[in-house]
Amino acid sequence: MALTKHVSQDKIEVVGEFKHVQVRTCTKVLEDGVELSSGFHRHLVNAGDDYSAESTEVQAICAAVHTDAVVAAYAAHLEASALGG
Amino acid sequence: MPITIKNSAGGGVTLDSTTSSNETLQLPSGGGTLVRTASPSFTGDSTITSGNLIFATAAKGVYLGVTSATAANLLNDYEEGTFNLTMTGGNGNPSSTQTLGSEYVKIGKLVYFRSFGTLNNSGASGAIAFTGLPFTPTGVTIASIECNSQGTFSLSPYGYVSGTVIYINQMRSNNTYIAINHNVASSGEWSITGHFATNS
């Protein structure tokens, strides 16, 4: 009877005009390969964020979609909505 | 060896027991597949005596309240999990990263979230905001917040959710609002609760 923990990024999506990268991390606890429990944790990587600590796959996606133009557009969007409403 | 029942009038199998509830179509206990070649209809209620209903294809769901496939009635997503909100400052972030442990539940397009915790905003200045929502919202929405010690304000604060950021504001009058700036305190309690729509 062996308990193991398996962590994987099971869903990575690029969403919206500013190419937000949504990452879902799934953590499973298995007993002899049979799932006992699982849970999700999510985080977003926005254009302009430092993604150097992200997984290799997420880094590759961010490098592809977070172009200078997207980063500048998102920064301008944040500036415009800084106070909100 | 498979058995095929087929004639010009159509084939089929009828289970008919004189004892109610004894009509059972059973697949091998080792597993099996009930294959259909067209969309079958069921009359009466259906009961799964144990186990859950699992779709073999992602993003499939159930049309509720209608008798035909109508996009607006399709419930095809449910998810619950955790995320972290990170405190920021318009003129400077806290000296060390400050995060609120948070939970979300997504039902269809609607995401409910709840964040609670105690933060240390030493080193932060300028307008308070939080980043790190678990999904990308469509449009803007308002979140309810409790801000204890770490903001300077005289009216009730609220969270303005725009993009993936929650801006902490207060209404100054019936038509003006203003950002709430950091008031440094080594310990301040925060509670943020809200919901938003997402297309993801």
Side-chain angles (χ1 to χ4, degrees):
Chain A
M1 183 173 65
L3 290 177
T4 55
K5 179 180 174 182
H6 183 246
V7 179
S8 64
Q9 291 183 336
D10 68 336
K11 187 178 283 190
I12 304 172
E13 304 159 298
V14 179
V15 180
E17 175 188 1
F18 303 116
K19 311 299 182 188
H20 302 289
V21 178
Q22 293 185 173
V23 183
R24 185 176 77 178
T25 302
C26 179
T27 302
K28 293 182 178 179
V29 176
L30 309 169
E31 182 181 84
D32 295 331
V34 178
E35 182 179 318
L36 294 181
S37 68
S38 66
F40 293 130
H41 183 88
R42 281 186 174 268
H43 74 280
L44 282 176
V45 184
N46 300 310
D49 286 354
D50 175 9
Y51 51 81
S52 59
E54 298 290 335
S55 67
T56 304
E57 195 172 9
V58 171
Q59 286 187 36
I61 293 170
C62 291
V65 301
H66 291 172
T67 62
D68 291 344
V70 171
V71 171
Y74 186 56
H77 168 76
L78 288 177
E79 183 72 24
S81 58
L83 188 55
Chain B
M1 175 184 293
I3 298 173
T4 302
I5 301 171
K6 182 178 182 181
N7 63 28
S8 60
V13 176
T14 299
L15 305 176
D16 191 1
S17 170
T18 55
T19 305
S20 177
S21 303
N22 269 359
E23 295 139 352
T24 302
L25 182 62
Q26 186 169 345
L27 297 174
S29 59
T33 304
L34 202 56
V35 179
R36 64 172 177 79
T37 55
S39 300
S41 296
F42 299 93
T43 301
D45 297 336
S46 297
T47 301
I48 299 173
T49 54
S50 65
N52 300 302
L53 183 61
I54 302 173
F55 296 94
T57 304
K60 296 299 181 185
V62 179
Y63 291 99
L64 295 173
V66 289
T67 57
S68 61
T70 310
N73 297 98
L74 177 62
L75 179 59
N76 65 350
D77 194 20
Y78 176 89
E79 184 181 312
E80 54 191 38
T82 61
F83 65 103
N84 293 325
L85 283 180
T86 301
M87 175 185 262
T88 66
N91 296 327
N93 295 331
S95 303
S96 61
T97 301
Q98 297 294 303
T99 59
L100 287 175
S102 311
E103 298 175 336
Y104 69 85
V105 176
K106 182 175 187 285
I107 304 170
K109 294 178 62 174
L110 199 58
V111 179
Y112 291 89
F113 68 94
R114 183 184 76 90
S115 306
F116 182 82
T118 300
L119 302 180
N120 178 350
N121 68 343
S122 298
S125 62
I128 305 172
F130 289 86
T131 62
L133 288 171
F135 298 91
T136 305
T138 56
V140 299
T141 189
I142 300 298
S144 300
I145 73 165
E146 174 209 11
C147 167
N148 186 353
S149 302
Q150 293 180 336
T152 302
F153 57 93
S154 56
L155 300 170
S156 294
Y158 65 94
Y160 182 84
V161 182
S162 175
T164 59
V165 182
I166 303 174
Y167 301 96
I168 308 302
N169 294 343
Q170 63 176 316
M171 290 300 296
R172 173 167 275 182
S173 68
N174 66 342
N175 63 0
T176 60
Y177 50 83
I178 188 170
I180 294 177
N181 289 330
H182 278 280
N183 174 50
V184 170
S186 59
S187 178
E189 190 174 85
W190 284 87
S191 176
I192 306 176
T193 304
H195 63 272
F196 58 85
T198 182
N199 284 330
S200 55

